[in-house]
Amino acid sequence: MIFESRPNVVVDGAALAIKSGNAIILKGGKEAQHSNRKLFDVMNAAVERILPAGSISLIETREDVSELLKMHEYIDLMVPRGGSALINHVRSNATMPVVAHDKGLCHIYVHEDADTSKVIPLILNAKVQRPSACNAVETLLVHEKYPQINEIKEALLKAKVEIRGDKEEDFDTEYLANIISMKTVKGIDEAISHIRKHTSHHTESILAKDPSVIEQFLNSLDASALMVNASTRFNDGGELGLGAELGISTSKLHAYGPMGAKEMTTTRFLVKGNGQIRG
C-alpha cells in the first residue's frame, strides 16, 4: 500500500492486514516519514512474537516502490491511496492488479423542492466539518428555482468558504480546503450531465423530496456511494459499519467504496471428497 500523508494509515493498514490474514508492505509520504516509522515500530513490536517476520513491513524510498511494482509473482494487490499523480504512476507501472483510492471530487445537487430547513446544515457539514477529507464536497449544484440560493452563499461565506465557479477547471479541482465550486442548473438533467463530466466516482449526493427525481439521480450516476438527503461525509468505513478502513476505493474490481477487513479477503474452494468422480 502506497499512501500520501496521514500516518494513521500505517496503523489502519497494519491492523486490517493482520485481521484479514494478509501480509502488508506500507509506503507513506515523505512529509510524515518520522511519524510513519514510529507508528510502524509500535505495531511491529506488538506482533513480532506471534506473527512471521515481515508480516508487516515499511519501506521509505521511491526506488523501493519501483522495484515492488515489478514483483507480481510475490505481491497479489497494489493499493495506491492519494492524488491523481500517484494513482496514475502506479496504474501505469504495476504488474499486478491495482485497487485505486483516488481523489474525491464530490458533488451535492440541491433540487428545487429540497427541504429548506436541512439544506444549509448539510452543505456546511459536507464542506467545513473536515475539508481535507476525500469525502468533503467540492462542487455544489443548485436548481435555479431553489428559493434559498442567496442564503446558501451567505452561509458559506460566513463559514469562511471561498466560492468559485468562473472557470471550467474549477469544476475539476479537488480543493481539500475551505473552497467550493458552485453553479446553478436548470434541473436534474443538467445536474446529472455536469456530474458525469466531472465525477471522480467517489461520492455524490442529492437533496430533494420528489421520489422520481431521487430515483433518476440514483439510476443515472456511477459512484462508490450515492447519498440522498445526507452529507457526503458519510462515505466512510466507520460510518458505514466496516470499522477501520484501508481507504475508499474508486475502482470496481474487486472493491468499490470503503475497504474494511472483509474487502481485503477473497474466496477459494476447499473440496473434501470420498471418492466422488465427475460424470
Side-chain angles (χ1 to χ4, degrees), residues 62-222:
R62 291 185 177 181
E63 291 74 21
D64 288 336
V65 172
S66 296
E67 190 66 24
L68 284 176
L69 293 172
K70 303 172 185 176
M71 300 175 69
H72 60 87
E73 68 270 37
Y74 302 113
I75 297 173
D76 294 316
L77 186 69
M78 187 65 68
V79 182
R81 173 175 168 177
S84 295
L86 169 64
I87 304 296
N88 292 336
H89 174 75
V90 173
R91 278 180 168 155
S92 298
N93 293 279
T95 56
M96 67 288 292
V98 174
V99 173
H101 298 243
D102 208 342
K103 66 181 180 180
L105 215 163
C106 307
H107 299 76
I108 289 179
Y109 167 58
V110 182
H111 194 54
E112 63 179 315
D113 68 350
D115 189 331
T116 55
S117 68
K118 298 176 182 177
V119 166
I120 289 175
L122 280 169
I123 292 170
L124 291 179
N125 177 263
K127 180 69 260 184
V128 304
Q129 192 251 352
R130 191 179 175 190
S132 63
C134 59
N135 53 19
V137 66
E138 303 290 16
T139 297
L140 178 62
L141 305 173
V142 184
H143 194 294
E144 63 183 7
K145 293 183 180 179
Y146 180 72
Q148 291 187 337
I149 296 176
N150 289 333
E151 286 86 346
I152 291 174
K153 292 179 181 178
E154 290 170 3
L156 287 168
L157 292 173
K158 186 176 180 180
K160 299 182 179 180
V161 176
E162 179 184 341
I163 301 173
R164 296 184 185 176
D166 296 330
K167 300 176 182 178
E168 185 66 18
E169 58 261 32
D170 292 337
F171 298 108
D172 288 316
T173 302
E174 183 188 25
Y175 297 113
L176 301 176
N178 278 351
I179 306 171
I180 195 167
S181 298
M182 186 172 178
K183 180 181 180 181
T184 57
V185 294
K186 296 184 182 300
I188 181 67
D189 292 332
E190 186 179 350
I192 288 171
S193 178
H194 179 100
I195 294 171
R196 282 177 172 173
K197 181 178 179 180
H198 299 282
T199 185
S200 64
H201 305 285
H202 194 290
T203 311
E204 314 295 1
S205 179
I206 181 173
L207 311 184
K209 294 178 182 177
D210 188 332
S212 64
V213 169
I214 292 171
E215 196 68 17
Q216 182 181 353
F217 185 89
L218 296 178
N219 290 336
S220 301
L221 293 174
D222 176 16

Side-chain angles (χ1 to χ4, degrees), residues 13-15 17-18 22-26 40 43-44 47 52-58:
I18 294 166
N22 285 288
I24 190 168
I25 301 171
L26 298 155
F40 170 78
M43 297 296 293
N44 196 45
V47 302
S55 294
I56 57 174
S57 302
L58 181 71

